[in-house]
Amino acid sequence: MRNKPLRRAAWAAMWSFGAVSLAGIGEAALHHADAQIANGAASMAMQNSTGDDGPPPTPPPVLTNAQILQEDRDAVNLMNEVALTPRILPGGVKQFTLTVSKFGWNFYRNVNLWAWGYNGQVPGPLIRVRVGDRVEIVVHNDLPEPTTIHWHGLAVPNDMDGVPGFPEPAIQPGGTFVYRFTATSQMVGTHWYHSHYDDDYQVDAGLNGVIIVDPRTPPPSMRHVRDVLFVLGAGKQDGSDNENTFLINGKAYPDTPQLTVKRGTTVYMRIVNACAETFHAMTIDGYDVKIVAQDGQPQPDPQTVSVVSIAPSETVDVEFTADETGTFPFYDTVASSLINPNDSVDPVGGMMTLIHVTP
């Protein structure tokens, strides 16, 4: 356990440019639903790009409150590792279907942006399989340009790897491709999938998701653990060449999904950096964590750290015991990731959420 008062004081000092406090942050989180009601169309795009980087920006559609609430449920379900349900084919093959399309997404408060995603979600739905499963993933491309899916960290056959032209061509607009592979013991762990066509643009537009491969029989140590998932994402607004919109599970604070656990719970947290460009350094104010796996590989000598460094495309699994009650921010220590561009209410936001530990 770290010195919580000192850590909180340091965290508050980081925001000396504004009157921000832990109490204020908690208050903003409690009024999450109220903030969502002010939903208007924003004249920007998740990838508001110029030149050949992507399509020209157009105003996204106004989203209904029901659509925004569904987005919030998607973010919470992803945190709780609710996975896409497969269709079971003859012979036991697990078939998943992903449709790639463009749609409006409410990233925070009243800011709607264009996104490119899988099954109308940012990030895409969680895919979860076990060792020995034969997997079939049907991908329909409804985008205006080609795309692929690369299974990052999985040793799939070369023609299933999603690298355009090596050897399979990209999936053309209106086209369909079926990825097939068998889950092996090499694949066990936390991994992610993403476009490998025009990667820098398409990944930050929302074309990324998580795939977890479980061992055939879960180890006993995982049976009494709260297993959660946080996907770090990013995008570009207002013609920026650099990522300037930062998300957790497709939402920016204060609209990020918040975790509530009972005191004494062991939390197994999977952190995925799905940003195309940006390094992050994540911390839980008040807690140290033990790094138990990186890129799906168990660590033979787990290290206890206060800050988890995670580069683009990396996954890190950490574990801690929630042994003190209270509300603890989980956030990026890189201050530029904690700002919401074009937020008329409060610029503090971005890659942060709250962990509530109850008695």
Side-chain angles (χ1 to χ4, degrees):
M1 177 68 67
R2 300 202 301 270
N3 187 317
K4 183 174 63 176
L6 288 178
R7 287 292 301 168
R8 288 189 175 180
W11 186 87
M14 184 191 309
W15 295 108
S16 58
F17 60 81
V20 180
S21 65
L22 286 175
I25 290 172
E27 185 72 13
L30 290 174
H31 290 86
H32 169 83
D34 293 337
Q36 291 285 29
I37 295 173
N39 172 40
S43 298
M44 59 193 72
M46 185 60 177
Q47 289 280 338
N48 193 355
S49 54
T50 57
D52 296 329
D53 292 337
T58 54
V62 174
L63 302 178
T64 66
N65 287 332
Q67 288 173 309
I68 294 173
L69 289 174
Q70 182 58 55
E71 292 178 5
D72 292 344
R73 283 191 289 268
D74 290 339
V76 171
N77 285 339
L78 186 62
M79 177 185 70
N80 290 325
E81 298 184 357
V82 177
L84 185 63
T85 301
R87 176 187 178 192
I88 307 301
L89 301 181
V93 174
K94 291 184 176 180
Q95 183 189 73
F96 301 88
T97 299
L98 297 177
T99 299
V100 193
S101 64
K102 176 182 178 180
F103 48 86
W105 190 263
N106 179 256
F107 287 81
Y108 49 85
R109 304 194 196 268
N110 63 337
V111 175
N112 299 333
L113 310 172
W114 282 120
W116 291 11
Y118 302 107
N119 294 7
Q121 297 177 221
V122 176
L126 171 64
I127 296 174
R128 193 159 199 164
V129 297
R130 294 192 299 171
V131 170
D133 285 347
R134 287 179 293 160
V135 182
E136 184 173 292
I137 302 172
V138 182
V139 181
H140 304 293
N141 182 13
D142 289 342
L143 294 175
E145 69 178 46
T147 192
T148 69
I149 295 184
H150 172 65
W151 310 98
H152 201 106
L154 305 188
V156 300
N158 195 42
D159 57 351
M160 298 289 112
D161 201 36
V163 180
F166 293 94
E168 295 297 321
I171 310 169
Q172 297 300 309
T176 297
F177 186 79
V178 182
Y179 294 91
R180 296 183 176 92
F181 58 87
T182 298
T184 67
S185 57
Q186 175 275 334
M187 301 177 181
V188 169
T190 308
H191 304 283
W192 70 302
Y193 61 91
H194 60 87
S195 170
H196 226 321
Y197 183 95
D198 194 11
D199 317 28
D200 187 62
Y201 177 82
Q202 292 196 4
V203 171
D204 278 347
L207 292 183
N208 61 80
V210 173
I211 180 167
I212 297 174
V213 180
D214 293 314
R216 197 66 190 171
T217 302
S221 60
M222 290 294 291
R223 293 176 184 168
H224 304 289
V225 172
R226 180 70 183 276
D227 198 330
V228 297
L229 171 63
F230 289 113
V231 182
L232 313 181
K236 301 171 183 175
Q237 289 192 45
D238 302 326
S240 174
D241 290 330
N242 300 315
E243 295 170 341
N244 63 356
T245 303
F246 296 97
L247 316 166
I248 296 178
N249 290 11
K251 293 286 182 174
Y253 186 84
D255 298 344
T256 45
Q258 300 182 16
L259 175 64
T260 299
V261 297
K262 290 185 177 181
R263 182 178 179 178
T265 301
T266 297
V267 180
Y268 190 95
M269 180 186 293
R270 304 172 192 264
I271 308 171
V272 178
N273 187 354
C275 302
E277 303 170 356
T278 312
F279 166 97
H280 298 288
M282 306 300 295
T283 190
I284 303 173
D285 195 25
Y287 281 95
D288 292 335
V289 298
K290 181 169 63 176
I291 297 177
V292 293
Q294 289 186 282
D295 295 322
Q297 302 302 310
Q299 299 299 290
D301 183 22
Q303 301 296 307
T304 298
V305 299
S306 60
V307 177
V308 179
S309 299
I310 182 167
S313 300
E314 286 188 334
T315 76
V316 179
D317 295 4
V318 303
E319 191 175 82
F320 68 96
T321 299
D323 55 7
E324 185 172 352
T325 59
T327 294
F328 306 92
F330 171 55
Y331 62 97
D332 187 4
T333 60
V334 180
S336 59
S337 299
L338 300 176
I339 297 173
N340 285 340
N342 300 292
D343 191 332
S344 60
V345 179
D346 191 339
V348 178
M351 197 170 283
M352 176 169 61
T353 190
L354 302 176
I355 298 175
H356 307 282
V357 181
T358 61

